[in-house]
Amino acid sequence: MRLGILISGRGSNFEAIASTIARRRLDAEIAIVISNRSNAAGLEIARERGIPVRVIPSQGLDREAYDRLLVDELRTHEVELVCLAGFMRLLSAHFVRAFPDRVLNIHPSLLPAFPGLDAQRQALDHGVRITGCTVHFVDEFLDSGPILIQSAVPVLDTDTVETLSARILAQEHAIYPKAVQYLVEGRVTIEGRRVLIREDEPQ
Ligand code: GAR
């Protein structure tokens, strides 16, 4: 399956997907990495791995005009599944319709709790005992589409935003490649808000 990865920054989730592919635990190919920011550190990771990159700045464009550029670029690279990996923009209905049920996002909380920015800080400020991360399908609303995988992470009394974020990130790196592999294997069906994952065939 040909993946298109959209990033805005560090790119560690992108790297987790790329290294899972390299270890042959994920049967996919990264066709293109696109960033809306030219200084995204993830771009360097892609270049080092020989993965094609493209910077598409969003300045001066409305959401739909920008998303048309993204869709064109993804189609040029024959992308079948789009993975948002720290891509800090809301996508338009135009984009979502261009890849029906084929856009995933990772978010650092157990959605629907703490959508939006600074999810780890929101969890600490709220005082929850358990938070985590979520891989979900993307619709045109913020962090709201059907949920594919979640992983829970306890909040410790000693946690700061940094320590909590680091433990959540380790789980993000585990569940994102796994979620992509479920789709690659064709095991996923969406029924309303519920995502059903067929059991692995016994060997
Ligand atoms: C990750 O923690 C991801 O869950 C979060 O941004 C970080 C990106 O890190 N995404 C969101 O908050 C989306 N609402 P990365 O660039 O190292 O993958």
Side-chain angles (χ1 to χ4, degrees):
M1 185 177 278
R2 291 176 66 78
L3 311 181
I5 303 204
L6 306 193
I7 63 170
S8 295
R10 182 176 53 186
S12 72
N13 277 288
F14 146 58
E15 191 170 25
I17 291 170
S19 57
T20 310
I21 292 171
R23 290 199 312 273
R24 300 185 185 283
R25 294 290 191 80
L26 171 55
D27 191 10
E29 180 187 345
I30 301 176
I32 183 79
V33 172
I34 303 176
S35 173
N36 61 326
R37 298 193 187 136
S38 60
N39 60 354
L43 290 169
E44 209 38 57
I45 298 172
R47 289 188 189 109
E48 278 164 13
R49 286 176 173 268
I51 297 169
V53 299
R54 181 77 204 277
V55 176
I56 309 185
S58 55
Q59 246 171 12
L61 295 173
D62 67 34
R63 191 174 303 285
E64 185 146 338
Y66 183 73
D67 284 3
R68 281 184 198 284
L69 296 180
L70 285 181
V71 169
D72 287 350
E73 189 66 28
L74 292 164
R75 288 212 196 289
T76 300
H77 292 271
E78 296 177 358
V79 163
E80 298 165 285
L81 177 69
V82 181
C83 298
L84 310 186
F87 187 64
M88 295 312 202
R89 284 181 60 86
L90 201 58
L91 294 172
S92 62
H94 167 78
F95 187 100
V96 175
R97 276 198 301 267
F99 295 96
D101 298 338
R102 282 294 176 273
V103 186
L104 295 180
N105 182 40
I106 181 117
H107 183 76
S109 74
L110 293 177
L111 290 171
F114 315 127
L117 292 177
D118 296 326
Q120 303 93 331
R121 178 178 296 282
Q122 291 185 57
L124 270 182
D125 288 350
H126 196 91
V128 293
R129 292 289 184 188
I130 296 176
T131 182
C133 49
T134 303
V135 178
H136 64 95
F137 287 97
V138 171
D139 58 22
E140 68 262 45
F141 306 106
L142 181 66
D143 299 327
S144 87
I147 291 169
L148 189 46
I149 306 189
Q150 294 186 301
S151 180
V153 174
V155 180
L156 310 179
D157 288 352
T158 50
D159 263 333
T160 60
V161 173
E162 289 70 30
T163 58
L164 180 59
S165 299
R167 288 206 317 287
I168 294 173
L169 194 63
Q171 290 306 305
E172 295 183 40
H173 296 167
I175 66 172
Y176 210 173
K178 193 166 164 183
V180 175
Q181 180 63 13
Y182 286 160
L183 286 169
V184 167
E185 291 170 0
R187 289 163 58 189
V188 176
T189 347
I190 305 177
E191 286 187 3
R193 277 217 53 93
R194 294 188 69 196
V195 177
L196 309 181
I197 302 167
R198 245 194 352 270
E199 288 292 312
D200 228 346
E201 299 291 325
Q203 297 292 316

